[in-house]
Amino acid sequence: MKLSIAQIASASNGSAIGNPDYIVEHLIIDSRSLFKAENTMFCALHTDAADGHRYIYNMYSQGVRAFLVDNMVCDASNFPDAAFVVVKSVEQAIYAIALQARAALDHVKFIAITGSVGKTVIKEQLFQALYGKVRLQRSPRSWNSRLGVALSITELQPGIDYAIIEVGIDRVGDMARLANLVRPTYGIFMPITDEHFSGFDSIEQKTAEKALLFANCSHVISVGSAQLHANALHSPTTQVDTNLQAVEKMAQLIGVTPNSDTFIPSNRIDVREGVNDCVVLFDSFTNDYRSLISALDFMRRRCTPTRSNTVILSNIFGADSATVINLLYRFGINRVITIGSDSYSDIPSTISLQHFVSVEQFIASVDTNQFSSESILIFGRGLQPIKDILAVPRHDSIMEVNLDALIHNFNYYRSLLQSTTGVIAMVKASAYGIGAVEVAKTLQAQGATMLAVAVIEEGIELRRGGISMPIVVLNPVTGNYKALFNNNLEPSVFSMRELATLVNAAQSCGIDSFNAHIKLDTGMHRVGFTEAELPQLITYLKSSAHIRVASIFSHLATADCPDMNDYTELQLTTFHRMSSAIIEALPYPVKRHILNTAGIMRYPEYQYDMVRLGIGLYGVSPLDTMPGDLRPVATLRSTIISIKHWPAGTTIGYARRGKLTRPSVIATIPIGYADGINRHLGRGAASFVVRGIECPTVGNICMDQCMIDITDVPAAAIGDPVEIYGPQMPVQRLAATLDTIPYELLTAVSPRIHRIYFRE
Ligand SMILES: *Cc1c(COP(=O)(O)O)cnc(C)c1O
């Protein structure tokens, strides 16, 4: 889009301050996604998690000169040359601006996509199939929410003939407005599933609501869900079964022959351990410039001082090579390897450039020893063989970690809290088995206030991994206070004895005002100062300049036990009384926190200054009721490595404990109790999921392998993934089988299982 401040003010019913002629071409809502300050307007949204108005100064200092605000929190005269548009609601204003941008695109035909599943995949397939055949643009990655759709429209260029827009909704009443904004000519209706029912009463209601998008379409292609779609649609419709048929049909409607290499995009970035201490980020989603920006942004957020930054890319479309190099330069990339026909010149001296005409040439000429301690982003289609040689081989049994789900859960809990309440993310025990460094990087970028680990070594690992935010060590009992001070790890202190040792150590190292966190025992009866010790504690704290009380905290024993609310409430009031006594005695401000995940859900009125969020982050509810809003983060997965057919009566495994009662098909998977699969899950106690079907274990679990009965999955084949737990098998269910809690299962997965991180 291209709108002046005056046009934006009039479209959004707002008032303009500053230069009315300043031209805005891009809107951004996340300060971290700033790419080009010139002609970009920062929209200060209030979300559950944050208030965009806090970032105005930061954006201004990065060169942004246009702001959309609903609250003039700052004095415009402090922002020379900046223009502000003040509106009632920033979100509504973005919609209004998008309507205005849409009005200037009447010559463009819009193809809208909605449905429950596969929207992003078909959008990318269609884009690839039509690329170069017509002038088109599509909405970026999964910008399909109400705001995402509006922002996608503001990003469209006037020179196109077609726009592909993905639309998602999660409640009744949203679609009519979005349909009015997109005004599509063609529609693609993807299958409707009955999960995520929350905002709807029935699957029919959900289908009807989604179908509103297509009310004025000249033609709709319905993929899967034929009957459901047909009942809801009124436009001429073609029914197909697969994405590729839908793509072909759409090309036919437009009157072009599609490109033949339409593919299934993997729609995600993988983070893998690489050769020689490298980390490999692999994004084979598309080759377009916009996705390159978001991949580089993802890379930047997890950069480590000990690793340099390398990008390997194939031909990029959507920008010329000078623009691409400029982008790489701005993201601080040190080494660039290009594959393909694009040629690059005028390379800044900080970048070393190598060029290969093909993947084959790269593989023939490059030795993996030429890579060491680098973060390597491999970007673009067709580069899989390069990833295969630079990443450490994938194991048959892995834990897959969905970093988007982690962010989602983090924001879900933030939405239950006041915006000023800090969140301490519990990353002890390797982030509950999920991998502390990657989790910490993600949460550091997401704005967590502090991290908590159990022991000092865990804190040092995080510092080595490049984590700079505050870290508290919960059990610091250590002979090595120096390491604590050197790594700026803040101890929790739970006894007079500990306190005295810490203060002496600080004194002998010449350290003043070192942050410490005072742990009170209000009812867990594990560690912590008791009420009787308070007078002595206060006197000591007042007299020592070597440490500074950064916070006072306590831990709830029964927050997840609704039958023991009395006890929880007693702990909460004891905490209030004890912490208040300390705070009153100290001459400086001190923070307080007591809530764990269950506490956040049940006693938000006791959130004080911070909360300590653990299990909920990882997508597991500590309460029996699972809020539908959490997403599982970890998937433990193995692979079928052998399949055998046996007659009834055959016995399987050690001690002949698996006796077949019918002719059976038995698969072996390479994961056992040494990997953290408890032996009590054997002999049919648990089932693992193959092709969506639950397959019981057979016989005893072995050290490195176990067997499952796949008789009911006739299509199962060697190489099929087997989900131990994850989206199809909640870890809570396995925990219940073992009469334990999910915490124990997550932390029991052995280090020999590789953790693989990805972003959707
Ligand atoms: C582990 C831990 C938490 C987090 O508990 P969750 O139930 O996982 O939210 C909070 N506080 C302390 C002191 C802990 O040790």
Side-chain angles (χ1 to χ4, degrees), residues 426 428 432 474 526 553 555 596-597 612-615 743:
M426 307 306 289
K428 60 191 179 189
Y432 291 45
L474 296 170
R526 188 168 65 174
F553 72 107
H555 197 29
N596 55 3
T597 304
R612 298 187 308 273
L613 178 60
I615 195 81
Y743 302 68

Side-chain angles (χ1 to χ4, degrees), residues 442-685:
T442 305
L443 297 175
Q444 176 166 279
Q446 210 54 33
T449 315
M450 198 183 283
L451 300 170
V453 295
V455 296
I456 185 166
E457 287 72 23
E458 293 177 335
I460 293 172
E461 186 199 343
L462 290 175
R463 290 286 182 243
R464 292 213 172 113
I467 301 297
S468 54
M469 64 191 290
I471 299 175
V472 52
V473 183
L474 296 170
N475 315 348
V477 186
T478 169
N480 191 0
Y481 281 96
K482 220 175 180 139
L484 206 64
F485 301 141
N486 286 345
N487 289 284
N488 198 14
L489 301 171
E490 306 180 5
S492 127
V493 181
F494 46 76
S495 69
M496 287 309 297
R497 191 189 139 115
E498 274 275 290
L499 183 57
T501 325
L502 172 67
V503 167
N504 287 339
Q507 186 166 21
S508 66
C509 294
I511 285 183
D512 278 332
S513 299
F514 198 72
N515 272 354
H517 301 264
I518 302 294
K519 172 91 185 255
L520 304 180
D521 184 354
T522 57
M524 180 72 95
H525 301 152
R526 188 168 65 174
V527 290
F529 292 94
T530 58
E531 200 149 19
E533 292 172 296
L534 270 193
Q536 196 191 355
L537 172 65
I538 290 173
T539 312
Y540 196 97
L541 289 175
K542 280 192 352 197
S543 72
S544 172
H546 297 291
I547 64 154
R548 180 178 181 283
V549 179
S551 81
I552 306 172
F553 72 107
S554 188
H555 197 29
L556 296 172
T558 53
D560 58 344
C561 311
D563 54 328
M564 298 180 209
N565 286 350
D566 290 351
Y567 196 78
T568 307
E569 282 152 30
L570 183 67
Q571 270 199 278
L572 289 166
T573 47
T574 307
F575 177 66
H576 191 81
R577 189 172 64 243
M578 288 175 68
S579 57
S580 301
I582 304 175
I583 288 173
E584 275 159 32
L586 293 178
Y588 49 83
V590 178
K591 298 196 149 116
R592 293 189 253 201
H593 43 104
I594 186 164
L595 300 183
N596 55 3
T597 304
I600 297 170
M601 298 166 83
R602 304 197 51 237
Y603 292 94
E605 61 278 23
Y606 286 91
Q607 57 192 270
Y608 292 105
D609 307 292
M610 297 192 276
V611 297
R612 298 187 308 273
L613 178 60
I615 195 81
L617 264 178
Y618 308 111
V620 177
S621 170
L623 307 179
D624 287 342
T625 52
M626 166 86 178
D629 296 309
L630 290 185
R631 294 178 56 195
V633 172
T635 302
L636 181 61
R637 207 193 280 303
S638 192
T639 308
I640 296 182
I641 56 166
S642 161
I643 293 182
K644 291 201 171 118
H645 294 252
W646 298 111
T650 310
T651 61
I652 306 292
Y654 281 113
R656 305 190 65 189
R657 287 313 189 104
K659 186 156 182 158
L660 304 181
T661 54
R662 58 172 180 173
S664 305
V665 188
I666 303 299
T668 303
I669 60 177
I671 192 167
Y673 58 77
D675 299 297
I677 304 295
N678 191 303
R679 242 173 124 258
H680 295 295
L681 295 174
R683 300 192 215 161

Side-chain angles (χ1 to χ4, degrees), residues 58-119:
N58 171 284
M59 291 281 86
Y60 181 82
S61 64
Q62 295 189 51
V64 174
R65 291 293 176 269
F67 297 91
L68 184 67
V69 299
D70 59 23
N71 186 355
M72 223 26 225
V73 288
C74 50
D75 180 352
S77 62
N78 292 333
F79 296 84
D81 336 315
F84 290 82
V85 175
V86 190
V87 294
K88 260 228 203 73
S89 145
V90 170
E91 188 171 349
Q92 304 280 344
I94 292 174
Y95 177 81
I97 296 167
L99 269 180
Q100 185 81 15
R102 175 68 182 86
L105 295 167
D106 273 344
H107 59 287
V108 177
K109 287 206 166 68
F110 279 67
I111 303 170
I113 301 172
T114 195
S116 305
V117 290
K119 297 187 287 289

Side-chain angles (χ1 to χ4, degrees), residues 199-490:
F200 303 94
D201 297 336
S202 67
I203 193 165
E204 288 77 19
Q205 186 193 37
K206 181 154 107 177
T207 313
E209 176 73 16
K210 295 197 180 215
L212 290 177
L213 180 61
F214 304 129
N216 294 311
C217 279
S218 71
H219 205 101
V220 180
I221 297 167
S222 140
V223 186
S225 304
Q227 200 51 50
L228 262 178
H229 286 171
N231 292 342
L233 286 171
H234 305 292
S235 314
T237 303
T238 308
Q239 283 167 353
V240 297
D241 295 320
T242 67
N243 283 11
L244 290 187
Q245 290 167 338
V247 167
E248 264 168 34
K249 184 71 202 166
M250 186 54 76
Q252 211 180 335
L253 284 172
I254 293 175
V256 298
T257 319
N259 294 316
S260 55
D261 63 340
T262 306
F263 66 109
I264 308 286
S266 76
N267 189 18
R268 60 185 226 178
I269 300 181
D270 273 322
V271 183
R272 299 271 300 274
E273 196 182 318
V275 296
N276 310 325
D277 189 42
C278 290
V279 170
V280 173
L281 293 85
F282 180 60
D283 184 345
S284 60
F285 192 48
T286 82
N287 288 44
D288 78 298
Y289 183 67
R290 206 169 224 303
S291 303
L292 177 63
I293 299 173
S294 78
L296 286 167
D297 184 48
F298 180 70
M299 179 178 193
R300 176 170 66 184
R301 288 182 206 187
R302 54 200 54 245
C303 70
T304 308
T306 55
R307 293 200 179 90
S308 60
N309 294 319
T310 299
V311 172
I312 302 179
L313 34 95
S314 54
N315 292 347
I316 298 298
F317 43 71
D320 58 21
S321 52
T323 313
V324 172
I325 282 293
N326 187 10
L327 177 76
L328 297 172
Y329 173 72
R330 285 208 258 173
F331 272 93
I333 305 302
N334 315 95
R335 177 178 182 190
V336 177
I337 298 173
T338 58
I339 313 277
S341 55
D342 283 359
S343 71
Y344 290 81
S345 50
D346 294 330
I347 312 301
S349 61
T350 54
I351 295 183
S352 92
L353 180 87
Q354 282 170 282
H355 175 72
F356 299 93
V357 292
S358 64
V359 169
E360 292 70 29
Q361 196 204 16
F362 173 93
I363 290 176
S365 15
V366 170
D367 178 331
T368 53
N369 286 329
Q370 295 171 14
F371 294 87
S372 158
S373 297
E374 292 162 55
S375 291
I376 307 173
L377 171 65
I378 303 178
F379 180 87
R381 291 170 53 200
L383 302 185
Q384 171 97 26
I386 295 181
K387 181 197 82 172
D388 290 344
I389 64 168
L390 293 181
V392 170
R394 183 184 274 264
H395 293 232
D396 288 329
S397 298
I398 53 166
M399 180 188 273
E400 276 200 325
V401 179
N402 182 341
L403 296 173
D404 276 339
L406 180 76
I407 293 171
H408 169 92
N409 298 335
F410 179 73
N411 288 334
Y412 168 73
Y413 282 99
R414 287 237 290 220
S415 76
L416 303 181
L417 299 165
Q418 281 162 24
S419 60
T420 49
T421 304
V423 177
I424 304 177
M426 307 306 289
V427 296
K428 60 191 179 189
S430 201
Y432 291 45
I434 280 169
V437 173
E438 286 297 328
V439 165
K441 285 199 167 166
T442 305
L443 297 175
Q444 176 166 279
Q446 210 54 33
T449 315
M450 198 183 283
L451 300 170
V453 295
V455 296
I456 185 166
E457 287 72 23
E458 293 177 335
I460 293 172
E461 186 199 343
L462 290 175
R463 290 286 182 243
R464 292 213 172 113
I467 301 297
S468 54
M469 64 191 290
I471 299 175
V472 52
V473 183
L474 296 170
N475 315 348
V477 186
T478 169
N480 191 0
Y481 281 96
K482 220 175 180 139
L484 206 64
F485 301 141
N486 286 345
N487 289 284
N488 198 14
L489 301 171
E490 306 180 5

